[in-house]
């Protein structure tokens, strides 16, 4: 519902500085003081629009307070000198408020829950013909506006329009969207009581946004806008926002890049100047600056998107390490290992893979790379979970963050079959759920879960399918998950993807944390949170990738020990947890003997995949050929190992109708069951 009243709230967030933490870094680096805010909650900090000063609670103890992101010690005239004359907006009636979502152990993915979404959200189209400066300004505006409630939505592509159309359903949100133009944004800001939370402008040099090889300064500007609550506008467009004050002018300073001597200098400056961006519990982002679709999420949640570019100096890598450490464990990383911009119709790198491809940028001597496993090794090493959002682009996350789950759990649950000794039970596991793009893509022509290839294919519901979804999607993309819940059949169930509440590699988890860290305790914390997310998703099973990339028997003892920690932790928060689905297809390099295809892990079965991933069943003309291969492979499995099977189905290669045909060809003795029931049937 819409907000009927706007109360003037004044609240200063009292936080304390942690100790300098000069010990404990395995590389010997000295870390700067950080904000120690265990709840990672900054909420409703108000400043008067006329002065930009924080309204403090007079009862607060100054000795227990540190400058907030709106305080002049962090962002005011002591740091910024505005060379551009500004006009003070409004007549005194407008009040700026900083709404900020909560993050906790149980909910490491930001989730705004204090307000219902607007029933009449404003929708603004972002055509490819739109100037890049507007494509940068709009998501920053969206992120600030959506802190209060979900009220601004950008149409980047057909999937966005499709989701808004689906959400019009009264069984979901009953939206009645109102179309707006980018030209309406300024008047929207000036005409609203809370300015859509826009405090002012960040002015930058026009050449930064227009260059073909994107400057890291875009990420730096995004961090400043997030901390200062600003929208970025090139200097040439300042007159179009006449009554908004210039809070940060990045064009002045007399250095090579205005305020900075280099991109490295700028990155270090922004991280040092705004501790809010590396606060304990803060989400992180690894993102090339040409990817603008997710700027709304970064601005909304006060995130500085980092990126290891080609030539990235060691001083910047060290600063990025500080952010990894100071933000803490069991945290989220959004973004992607790749730079998809060469195939993104909105990108300056369109059709220029030699420029936009990740290998042109990411060459950092092993710290980070375009290779997926190296990226996950890095993020897992710092105790993070990756929610992959930028392979193609997951946009409007700031809008979805404020949507409730409707309903709060799946409507239907597959009926548990009665065990029969003559039957062979298999879970048909459709997987790529670690990839939020796969969950979010909604229109034909894309490889999204909710396209006609999969969820809306006519045969869905004919056989039991277990769909893999990263559990963090219930908070990151609740509008999508709500649609799945509301349209699921009694033959659909969900599996937590890969390999917890977010994408991570168990064997690497915590390896880059400071010396003396209890790595097993950190792993336990991660999987306790995973159990909580499983309950939100309505699943009792979890897909976990191999912990080690080498020979299975060589590493079996260490791997099973890690998995036992995970199982015990998940059972502590999700007592009905009953099985692990292992592997991404049958990895022949792992050399898993058939006698180890099912392992006992702390009283819970681990079902390793029994088939290869090359089940190319999407194309009608080749489906028959590949179905025969898959049927023959399954029937060739030793009889004793056919009793309970994890049949891995790569989402890119299968459809419900092909899985229905698979079951028909295998015959009545092969029964497809939910992964949520496979473990209990086995026991």
């Amino acid at each position: 519902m819409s907000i009927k009243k706007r109360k003037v709230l004044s609240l200063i967030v009292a936080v304390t500085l942690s100790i300098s933490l000069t010990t404990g870094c395995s590389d010997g680096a000295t870390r700067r003081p950080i904000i120690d805010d265990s709840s990672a909650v900054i909420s409703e900090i108000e400043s008067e629009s006329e002065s930009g000063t924080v309204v403090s609670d007079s009862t607060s103890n100054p000795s227990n307070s540190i400058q907030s992101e709106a305080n002049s010690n962090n962002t005011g005239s002591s740091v910024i000198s505005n060379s551009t004359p500004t006009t003070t907006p409004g007549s005194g009636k407008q009040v700026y408020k900083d709404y900020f979502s909560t993050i906790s152990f149980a909910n490491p993915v930001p989730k705004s829950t204090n307000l219902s979404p607007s029933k009449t959200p404003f929708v603004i189209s972002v055509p490819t013909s739109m100037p890049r400066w507007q494509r940068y300004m709009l998501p920053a505006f969206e992120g600030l506006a959506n802190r209060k409630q979900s009220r601004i939505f950008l149409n980047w592509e057909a999937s966005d329009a499709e989701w808004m159309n689906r959400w019009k359903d009264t069984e979901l949100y009953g939206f009645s969207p109102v179309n707006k133009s980018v030209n309406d944004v300024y008047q929207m800001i000036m005409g609203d009581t809370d300015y859509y939370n826009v405090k002012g402008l960040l002015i930058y040099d026009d050449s930064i946004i227009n260059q073909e090889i994107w400057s890291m300064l875009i990420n730096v500007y995004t961090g400043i806008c997030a901390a200062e609550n600003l929208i970025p506008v090139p200097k040439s467009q300042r007159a179009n926002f006449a009554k908004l004050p210039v809070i940060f002018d990045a064009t002045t300073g007399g250095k090579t890049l205005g305020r900075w001597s280099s991109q490295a200098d700028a990155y270090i400056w922004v991280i040092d100047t705004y501790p809010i961006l590396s606060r304990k519990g803060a989400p992180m982002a690894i993102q090339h600056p040409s990817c603008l679709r997710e700027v709304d999420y970064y601005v909304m949640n006060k995130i500085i998107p980092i990126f290891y570019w080609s030539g990235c100096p060691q001083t910047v890598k060290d600063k990025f390490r500080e952010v990894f450490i100071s933000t803490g464990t069991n945290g989220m990383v959004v973004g992607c290992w790749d730079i998809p911009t060469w195939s993104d119709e909105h990108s300056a790198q369109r059709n220029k893979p030699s420029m936009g491809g990740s290998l042109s940028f990411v060459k950092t001597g092993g710290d980070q790379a375009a290779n997926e496993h190296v990226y996950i090794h890095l993020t897992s090493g710092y105790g993070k979970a990756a929610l992959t959002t930028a392979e193609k682009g997951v946009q409007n996350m700031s809008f979805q963050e404020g949507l409730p789950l409707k309903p709060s759990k799946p409507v239907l649950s597959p009926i548990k079959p009665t065990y029969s000794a003559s039957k062979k039970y298999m879970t048909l596991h459709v997987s790529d759920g670690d990839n939020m793009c796969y969950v979010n893509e909604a229109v034909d022509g894309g490889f999204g879960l909710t396209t006609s290839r999969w969820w809306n294919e006519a045969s869905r519901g004919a056989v039991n399918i277990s769909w893999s979804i990263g559990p963090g999607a219930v908070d990151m993309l609740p509008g999508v998950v709500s649609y799945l819940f509301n349209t699921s059949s009694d033959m659909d169930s969900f599996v937590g993807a890969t390999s917890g509440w977010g994408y991570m590699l168990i064997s690497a988890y915590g390896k880059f944390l400071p010396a003396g860290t209890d790595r097993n305790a950190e792993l336990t914390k991660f999987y306790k949170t995973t159990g909580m997310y499983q309950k939100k998703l309505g699943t009792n099973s979890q897909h976990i990738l191999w912990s080690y990339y080498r020979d299975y028997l060589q590493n079996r003892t260490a791997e099973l020990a890690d998995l036992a920690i995970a199982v015990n932790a998940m059972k502590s928060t999700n007592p009905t947890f009953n099985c692990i689905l292992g592997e991404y297809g049958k990895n022949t390099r792992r050399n898993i003997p058939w006698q180890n295809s099912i392992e006992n892990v702390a009283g819970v079965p681990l079902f390793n995949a029994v088939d290869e991933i090359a089940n190319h069943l999407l194309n009608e003309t080749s489906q028959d050929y590949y179905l025969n291969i898959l049927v023959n492979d399954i029937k060739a499995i030793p009889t004793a190992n056919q009793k309970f099977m994890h049949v891995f189905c790569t989402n890119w290669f299968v459809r419900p109708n092909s899985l229905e045909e698979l079951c028909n060809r295998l015959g009545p003795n092969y029964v497809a069951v939910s992964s949520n029931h496979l473990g209990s049937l086995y026991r």
Side-chain angles (χ1 to χ4, degrees):
M1 62 180 176
S2 301
I3 296 300
K4 302 294 185 183
K5 298 179 181 178
R6 292 183 173 92
K7 297 180 179 179
V8 178
L9 301 176
S10 64
L11 173 66
I12 186 166
V13 177
V15 294
T16 57
L17 280 174
S18 73
I19 59 173
S20 298
L21 297 177
T22 57
T23 62
C25 292
S26 58
D27 61 0
T30 299
R31 289 167 43 216
R32 64 182 175 81
I34 59 172
I35 289 182
D36 182 11
D37 178 7
S38 60
S39 64
V41 179
I42 310 293
S43 61
E44 296 179 326
I45 301 172
E46 176 192 306
S47 65
E48 296 292 346
S49 59
E50 288 81 359
S51 64
T53 58
V54 174
V55 180
S56 301
D57 185 342
S58 61
T59 62
S60 299
N61 183 348
S63 66
N64 292 330
S65 300
I66 186 173
Q67 68 268 25
S68 74
E69 69 275 24
N71 190 289
S72 61
N73 288 335
N74 223 13
T75 65
S77 58
S78 62
V79 176
I80 310 304
S81 57
N82 297 332
S83 61
T84 305
T86 63
T87 303
T88 301
S91 59
K93 66 164 185 156
Q94 283 99 340
V95 175
Y96 169 83
K97 296 180 183 178
D98 186 8
Y99 298 84
F100 199 36
S101 61
T102 61
I103 306 172
S104 68
F105 165 75
N107 299 287
V109 181
K111 178 64 178 172
S112 298
T113 57
N114 58 326
L115 295 169
S116 296
S118 169
K119 287 293 185 180
T120 56
F122 292 140
V123 176
I124 304 173
S125 292
V126 187
T128 55
S129 59
M130 180 178 283
R132 286 199 291 273
W133 77 264
Q134 290 182 333
R135 299 205 301 269
Y136 182 34
M137 180 272 292
L138 277 177
F141 166 66
E142 179 187 20
L144 291 174
N146 288 342
R147 283 186 191 166
K148 180 176 180 179
Q149 68 172 160
S150 296
R151 50 183 175 168
I152 302 295
F153 186 86
L154 302 182
N155 267 346
W156 291 88
E157 59 178 29
S159 277
D160 300 313
E162 178 61 27
W163 280 120
M164 186 56 70
N165 184 57
R166 291 173 179 177
W167 294 332
K168 291 178 183 178
D169 190 330
T170 55
E171 293 298 314
L172 288 170
Y173 305 107
F175 289 145
S176 298
V178 177
N179 292 326
K180 289 285 186 178
S181 163
V182 64
N183 296 324
D184 296 326
V185 168
Y186 176 64
Q187 293 303 324
M188 290 167 65
I189 294 171
M190 302 310 299
D192 193 84
T193 303
D194 73 349
Y195 273 92
Y196 284 88
N197 298 322
V198 176
K199 194 197 306 184
L201 303 178
L202 178 148
I203 300 297
Y204 60 89
D205 192 288
D206 289 64
S207 64
I208 298 299
I209 198 74
N210 290 322
Q211 60 185 344
E212 291 298 291
I213 302 279
W214 286 63
S215 170
M216 291 299 124
L217 290 183
I218 296 297
N219 279 356
V220 171
Y221 297 158
T222 298
I224 296 170
C225 287
E228 295 264 22
N229 313 299
L230 313 176
I231 56 173
V233 174
K235 191 171 184 177
S236 64
Q237 303 298 321
R238 194 271 177 272
N240 292 325
F241 300 84
K243 292 184 179 180
L244 279 172
V246 174
I247 305 298
F248 193 105
D249 189 342
T251 68
T252 61
K255 298 183 179 180
T256 304
L257 297 175
R259 293 191 172 275
W260 307 286
S261 300
S262 66
Q263 296 180 120
D265 178 37
Y267 244 130
I268 293 171
W269 182 91
V270 73
I271 293 171
D272 281 344
T273 302
Y274 300 104
I276 190 70
L277 300 174
S278 54
R279 66 197 181 277
K280 186 176 180 180
M284 289 187 64
I286 298 179
Q287 184 68 79
H288 186 264
S290 64
C291 299
L292 301 177
R293 300 184 191 209
E294 293 154 3
V295 165
D296 65 308
Y297 196 70
Y298 306 152
V299 170
M300 181 181 195
N301 291 297
K302 299 187 186 292
I303 301 172
I304 172 69
I306 68 172
F307 192 77
Y308 296 78
W309 69 94
S310 178
C312 179
Q314 188 61 46
T315 53
V316 175
K317 297 178 190 178
D318 292 342
K319 188 59 62 175
F320 290 169
R321 172 180 167 78
E322 289 183 23
V323 178
F324 272 114
I325 298 296
S326 64
T327 50
T329 57
N330 200 39
M332 179 183 73
V333 177
V334 293
C336 192
W337 52 86
D338 201 0
I339 303 172
T341 55
W342 67 272
S343 60
D344 184 339
E345 62 184 4
H346 289 275
S347 172
Q349 267 66 40
R350 175 70 172 169
N351 295 326
K352 299 176 182 178
S354 62
M355 295 176 65
S358 52
L359 293 177
S360 299
F361 294 91
V362 191
K363 299 174 183 176
T364 62
D367 287 352
Q368 213 268 62
N371 181 285
E372 174 179 353
H373 293 151
V374 175
Y375 175 94
I376 296 301
H377 190 270
L378 172 80
T379 55
S380 301
Y382 284 108
K384 306 291 186 182
L387 296 185
T388 309
T389 59
E391 253 180 328
K392 183 179 183 297
V394 179
Q395 50 276 358
N396 292 303
M397 290 186 291
S398 68
F399 183 87
Q400 285 214 51
E401 180 180 312
L403 303 184
L405 280 177
K406 295 177 72 69
S408 60
K409 61 182 179 181
V411 177
L412 300 171
S413 180
I415 299 172
K416 179 182 176 182
T418 302
Y419 175 77
S420 171
S422 64
K423 301 296 184 182
K424 300 172 182 179
Y425 297 99
M426 58 184 182
T427 285
L428 303 177
H429 171 211
V430 176
S431 176
D432 205 50
D434 63 286
N435 182 345
M436 295 295 119
C437 311
Y438 146 76
V439 179
N440 189 67
E441 180 66 29
V443 296
D444 293 340
F447 282 88
L449 172 59
T450 58
T451 64
S452 64
R453 298 171 187 261
W454 295 300
W455 197 256
N456 294 320
E457 211 263 353
S459 290
R460 182 177 62 84
V463 297
N464 212 309
I465 298 176
S466 294
W467 303 89
S468 185
I469 297 180
V474 299
D475 281 343
M476 175 165 280
L477 300 173
V480 174
V481 176
S482 294
Y483 172 80
L484 294 172
F485 285 177
N486 277 269
T487 54
S488 62
S489 75
D490 59 2
M491 288 292 186
D492 297 308
S493 61
F494 302 107
V495 182
T498 303
S499 294
W501 64 262
Y503 186 11
M504 71 83 133
L505 179 66
I506 297 179
S507 61
Y509 197 81
K511 70 180 297 180
F512 299 140
L513 295 176
T517 300
D518 187 339
R519 180 260 186 185
N520 288 351
E522 295 297 336
L523 194 60
T524 296
K525 180 167 63 174
F526 175 85
Y527 276 106
K528 282 185 175 181
T529 304
T530 297
M532 296 176 185
Y533 269 100
Q534 289 166 354
K535 292 172 72 175
K536 294 181 184 181
L537 188 60
T539 184
N540 300 329
S541 57
Q542 182 69 42
H543 180 213
I544 296 181
L545 288 180
W546 50 88
S547 294
Y548 298 82
Y549 296 114
R550 299 176 296 277
D551 183 85
Y552 182 76
L553 293 181
Q554 176 183 340
N555 298 283
R556 180 169 175 266
T557 299
E559 183 160 328
L560 292 181
D562 281 349
L563 291 178
I565 292 172
V567 166
N568 287 326
M570 287 185 285
K571 287 196 295 187
S572 72
T573 51
N574 184 16
T576 61
F577 179 78
N578 71 27
C579 86
I580 298 172
L581 301 183
E583 305 287 325
Y584 198 81
K586 183 181 179 183
N587 191 331
T588 54
R589 292 175 298 170
R590 295 266 286 159
N591 301 318
I592 301 178
W594 281 117
Q595 63 265 28
N596 299 113
S597 62
I598 302 177
E599 297 273 23
N600 186 324
V601 182
V604 167
L606 159 66
F607 299 99
N608 286 309
V610 298
D611 60 313
E612 304 289 346
I613 65 173
N615 33 37
H616 296 267
L617 307 177
L618 274 178
N619 192 317
E620 291 282 0
T621 60
S622 61
Q623 176 172 288
D624 184 71
Y625 173 79
Y626 286 106
L627 272 173
N628 285 334
I629 292 176
L630 184 55
V631 168
N632 291 334
D633 284 349
I634 290 174
K635 289 188 172 181
I637 295 170
T639 302
N641 301 104
Q642 289 189 42
K643 191 64 179 176
F644 301 95
M645 294 181 291
H646 165 202
V647 179
F648 186 88
C649 308
T650 314
N651 66 292
W652 314 113
F653 302 143
V654 302
R655 294 185 303 188
N657 75 337
S658 55
L659 297 182
E660 179 186 12
E661 182 61 19
L662 171 67
C663 292
N664 290 337
R665 295 191 184 193
L666 285 171
N669 285 334
Y670 291 83
V671 181
V673 299
S674 164
S675 60
N676 293 338
H677 296 144
L678 190 64
S680 57
L681 285 167
Y682 174 81
R683 285 194 295 272

